[in-house]
Amino acid sequence: MNNSAPPAQFKALRSIETGDRKFIRQLIHLSIDDLPRNEVLIQVAYSSLNYKDALSATGHKGVTHNYPHTAGCDAAGIVIETQNEHFAIGEKVIVTGYDLGMNTDGGFAEYICVPVDWVVKLPINLSLEQSMIYGTAGYTAALSIYKLLQNSLTPEQGKVLVTGSTGGVGSVAVSILAKLGYDVVAMTGKADKANFLKQLGAAEIVGRDALQTTPKPLLKPQWAAVLDTVGGESLITALKSVQYGGSVTTCGTVSGTHLDTQVFPFILRGINLLGIASAESDYKLRLKLWDLLANDWKIEHWDTLATHCNLEQLNDIYIDNILRGEISGRVLVEINTSIA
C-alpha cells in the first residue's frame, strides 16, 4: 500500500503554445492544484507513447484544443486519493482512452486526476509495466480481435492479414492472433523488420504491394479477415480481397481518411466492415478485454515488443520518431517505476 500524500510539485512533460501556431515541449513542475478536479488522483508509474499522443504533444489542434497541455492517453499507477469507495488508497489501476491526454492532462506526468469511471483495476496476472506495454494500442488490438471473433472468425478459415504490423496496434495484434493459433500475415513497408515480426509470431511477411491499388471492384479472395490499422488505399483494397463472409476491422488513418469503394464486396461476398473506437468503449467490455489481455490472450514477447524510455528521452527522441514512422512495437514510458 502507498499511503503517502502527494508532493507540493511534480514533473510533467508540458506542451506550450508560444504564438503564431508554434509549440514547444518542456519538462516542468506542476502542482496538484493544476490538475483537473476529478474523483481519483493517481501517482503514475508508467505511460506509453501512441501516435495521437505525439500529435497532441506537437500542437495538433484537431487532437487537443487548448494549451498548455500534458499529453499521454495512457497511465498506470497507484491510487493516492479517491472520493469513490470502489477504489482503495494504494490500489494499482489503469487508465486508457476516454479524454485522457487529449483535452484532459494526461499520463506524461507523475500524477493524473481523472473521473472514477475512467479507472480500471489492474487485473490479476498483469503488472503495471505490462499494462502500459499494451496501453491504448494493445487495447485497440484486443477490441479489433474481439470483434473479428464475434463475427465467427476461426483459425481454420485461413490467413489473417494485419496491416501496419510494426506499429503499436499492429504489433500487439500479430502477437495475440499468433497466440490464439491464427495464420498471421504481417504487412509492412519496413523490410528490415521481418525478423521482429516473425519473433512476434507472424507466419508470413508481405510488403505494401500486397494491397496494391486497383480500380477492379473485386479481387481474388485471399484473407479470412483483415485487421487494418492504417486506412487509405490499404483498407480499400483489403475490402476487395476478403473471403466470402469475412471481416475487416478499421482503426487508423495514417495512410488516409478517405474511403472510396464500391458495394460489390458487401453485396456479392457478404463481408463486414467493423469500425473500432476504443477510447469510449463500454466499461463492462473494457473490463472483459483487460481480463483477456491478462490471461487467455496474454502475449509472450514483452522484451521484443517494447522500447523503454523516460520523460526526457520521450521528449528528445521518441515523440519525433513516431511521427516519422521510425518506431516499431511499443514505447513504454517510465515515470516512477519504484511504486510498481
Side-chain angles (χ1 to χ4, degrees):
M1 287 294 207
N2 185 327
N3 296 309
S4 61
Q9 291 190 319
F10 64 91
K11 186 164 62 175
L13 178 57
R14 201 78 165 155
S15 297
I16 301 165
E17 188 169 10
T18 60
D20 195 26
R21 299 183 180 180
K22 294 181 179 179
F23 295 81
I24 60 171
R25 296 190 303 270
Q26 291 182 337
L27 280 166
I28 65 171
H29 285 90
L30 300 174
S31 74
I32 297 298
D33 290 339
D34 293 322
L35 292 174
R37 300 288 191 269
N38 287 310
E39 296 96 338
V40 186
L41 178 66
I42 298 167
Q43 186 177 12
V44 180
Y46 298 95
S47 184
S48 67
L49 176 63
N50 303 280
Y51 187 80
K52 68 178 180 179
D53 296 325
L55 293 176
S56 172
T58 51
H60 194 301
K61 290 293 185 78
V63 176
T64 299
H65 305 315
N66 297 309
Y67 292 83
H69 175 68
T70 304
C73 64
D74 296 333
I78 292 176
V79 175
I80 298 297
E81 294 178 359
T82 177
Q83 300 174 27
N84 188 284
E85 61 183 13
H86 186 61
F87 295 98
I89 303 300
E91 190 163 24
K92 294 181 178 181
V93 293
I94 307 166
V95 184
T96 60
Y98 298 102
D99 190 52
L100 184 69
M102 300 299 99
N103 292 290
T104 301
D105 282 339
F108 297 164
E110 293 178 318
Y111 287 85
I112 60 171
C113 193
V114 297
V116 66
D117 55 3
W118 293 7
V119 185
V120 171
K121 295 182 180 183
L122 182 72
I124 296 172
N125 298 327
L126 197 68
S127 69
L128 289 173
E129 178 181 356
Q130 290 167 341
S131 76
M132 288 295 96
I133 294 176
Y134 282 135
T136 286
Y139 180 80
T140 303
L143 181 56
S144 301
I145 293 168
Y146 180 79
K147 284 205 170 186
L148 290 175
L149 299 186
Q150 278 192 313
N151 282 271
S152 304
L153 179 67
T154 64
E156 294 74 25
Q157 291 172 345
K159 298 178 180 180
V160 178
L161 180 70
V162 178
T163 70
S165 57
T166 63
V169 177
S171 56
V172 178
V174 168
S175 300
I176 296 172
L177 286 165
K179 180 181 178 66
L180 297 179
Y182 288 88
D183 188 0
V184 183
V185 179
M187 192 185 87
T188 180
K190 302 174 181 177
D192 61 328
K193 296 301 179 182
N195 187 56
F196 165 75
L197 291 166
K198 288 179 179 178
Q199 287 180 319
L200 297 182
E204 184 180 349
I205 316 298
V206 296
R208 290 173 182 155
D209 56 358
L211 292 178
Q212 285 183 321
T213 303
T214 173
K216 294 180 180 180
L218 289 172
L219 296 171
K220 177 183 176 182
Q222 299 185 68
W223 323 111
V226 179
L227 195 154
D228 179 66
T229 73
V230 298
E233 293 298 334
S234 293
L235 174 58
I236 294 168
T237 308
L239 294 171
K240 302 175 182 180
S241 53
V242 175
Q243 297 171 8
Y244 187 91
S247 298
V248 178
T249 63
T250 178
C251 66
T253 62
V254 69
S255 290
T257 60
H258 188 60
L259 183 61
D260 183 7
T261 190
Q262 299 178 6
V263 300
F264 294 110
F266 304 98
I267 66 173
L268 296 181
R269 289 186 180 161
I271 72 163
N272 308 294
L273 178 58
L274 308 173
I276 305 301
S278 65
E280 299 286 343
S281 63
D282 177 77
Y283 190 79
K284 288 183 179 179
L285 177 58
R286 191 176 290 269
L287 295 178
K288 181 175 183 177
L289 290 179
W290 275 113
D291 181 70
L292 286 169
L293 286 169
N295 293 286
D296 293 352
W297 293 6
K298 190 173 184 180
I299 63 176
E300 300 170 355
H301 308 286
W302 300 103
D303 292 338
T304 301
L305 193 62
T307 298
H308 296 238
C309 74
N310 56 32
L311 282 174
E312 289 82 359
Q313 294 164 327
L314 176 70
N315 185 33
D316 294 341
I317 302 170
Y318 292 101
I319 287 174
D320 294 328
N321 281 2
I322 199 170
L323 291 173
R324 291 194 294 260
E326 296 174 359
I327 299 294
S328 295
R330 301 286 289 129
V331 176
L332 177 73
V333 185
E334 299 176 341
I335 308 291
N336 188 348
T337 61
S338 64
I339 66 172

